[in-house]
Amino acid sequence: MRPSKRAADELRAVSLERGVARHAEGSCLVRFGDTHVICTASLEEKVPPWLRGGGKGWVTAEYGMLPRATHTRNRREVTAGKASGRTQEIQRLIGRSLRAVVDLPALGERQISIDCDVLQADGGTRTASITGAWVALRDCVEWMRSRGMITAPVLTDHIAAISCGILEGTPVLDLDYAEDSRAETDANFVITGAGGIVEVQGTAEGKPFSRADLDTLLDLAAGGVSRLVELQKLAIS
């Protein structure tokens, strides 16, 4: 039995609440159980210098955790003068994931910046961030469309992410912190609505896992992402 009493292939309670930031062009408060992340999308009428004149836009992301997102207070990274390696890795992952389903030329020479701020952490903050960020990005794109700034489709598909792991020999979906801290194998999967794999991050925390284990985790993740995409569709409908 999992600590959360969930079935092996059962997600935590997931919600996607749009329009939570008054001034942002797109926003979403995503909840994966007790992990809560606010995602905002901000439009800028410019691109990074290295993209100027190229006729296409850019999507980038920043990620951070509030000081009391966890059991103990963490110092704000801005006061330390630089982002940690973990923060940089996660925000690059979010940006890569979103760009995989964006037609950058259709965006024009504009940049959409996604900010993912973790209000409360209980495992899976990066996967929740990617899932909620897509909703915020989509609302930003529709904000642009309603003002005649774009006409062609910009988003080519949905994208969502989920964690999987092997806990006491059993493959399980959507690990919370109690499970993640004990799992023998921990993996994150980023998958499109059509089932395309964008990124796989997997680590053996104890003994190495097998190819068969990886296939099982991928099947679990595909089912979980399919359900997350359905929730995204419900949120924007």
Side-chain angles (χ1 to χ4, degrees):
M1 179 64 71
R2 302 174 69 175
S4 61
K5 307 297 189 293
R6 287 180 284 140
D9 63 348
E10 185 179 351
L11 293 169
R12 288 175 282 181
V14 177
S15 67
L16 298 159
E17 182 183 352
R18 297 163 58 205
V20 295
R22 176 181 178 183
H23 301 294
E25 284 77 30
S27 62
C28 176
L29 175 59
V30 54
R31 297 181 177 93
F32 278 29
D34 286 332
T35 289
H36 303 167
V37 185
I38 184 168
C39 306
T40 58
S42 303
L43 175 65
E44 296 179 86
E45 287 287 346
K46 61 180 181 180
V47 292
W50 49 274
L51 276 177
R52 287 175 190 162
K56 66 179 184 180
W58 192 244
V59 175
T60 188
E62 293 187 14
Y63 165 96
M65 295 182 68
L66 295 186
R68 280 313 304 266
T70 59
H71 293 289
T72 57
R73 185 184 187 276
N74 294 306
R75 186 183 180 194
R76 295 180 192 272
E77 291 185 346
V78 66
T79 63
K82 65 176 182 178
S84 69
R86 176 183 180 275
T87 293
Q88 293 183 57
E89 182 248 325
I90 292 175
Q91 59 193 26
R92 288 170 181 162
L93 170 65
I94 297 167
R96 285 195 305 272
S97 301
L98 295 173
R99 289 193 296 272
V101 294
V102 173
D103 184 339
L104 295 174
L107 189 58
E109 291 202 21
R110 303 179 179 94
Q111 175 169 289
I112 298 177
S113 297
I114 306 294
D115 289 289
C116 299
D117 292 292
V118 179
L119 308 178
Q120 183 171 284
D122 187 39
T125 61
R126 72 187 67 196
T127 56
S129 294
I130 291 167
T131 304
W134 184 90
V135 175
L137 175 62
R138 181 265 180 192
D139 280 358
C140 180
V141 168
E142 291 307 307
W143 184 93
M144 295 168 65
R145 191 179 310 283
S146 69
R147 287 157 178 77
M149 300 169 69
I150 53 173
T151 54
V154 171
L155 291 175
T156 61
D157 202 348
H158 289 252
I159 197 158
I162 198 67
S163 65
C164 296
I166 299 177
L167 181 68
E168 296 180 358
T170 301
V172 294
L173 180 70
D174 191 19
L175 285 70
D176 56 29
Y177 179 76
E179 297 170 330
D180 183 51
S181 61
R182 294 169 46 202
E184 301 106 72
T185 299
D186 179 25
N188 298 297
F189 297 86
V190 185
I191 303 175
T192 68
I197 299 170
V198 174
E199 189 140 352
V200 177
Q201 300 177 332
T203 305
E205 303 288 352
K207 65 181 181 180
F209 57 93
S210 68
R211 172 70 176 270
D213 290 333
L214 180 60
D215 288 342
T216 300
L217 294 177
L218 179 56
D219 288 341
L220 270 177
V225 165
S226 178
R227 296 198 289 277
L228 291 174
V229 168
E230 289 303 315
L231 291 172
Q232 287 176 334
K233 291 178 179 178
L234 284 172
I236 66 175
S237 63

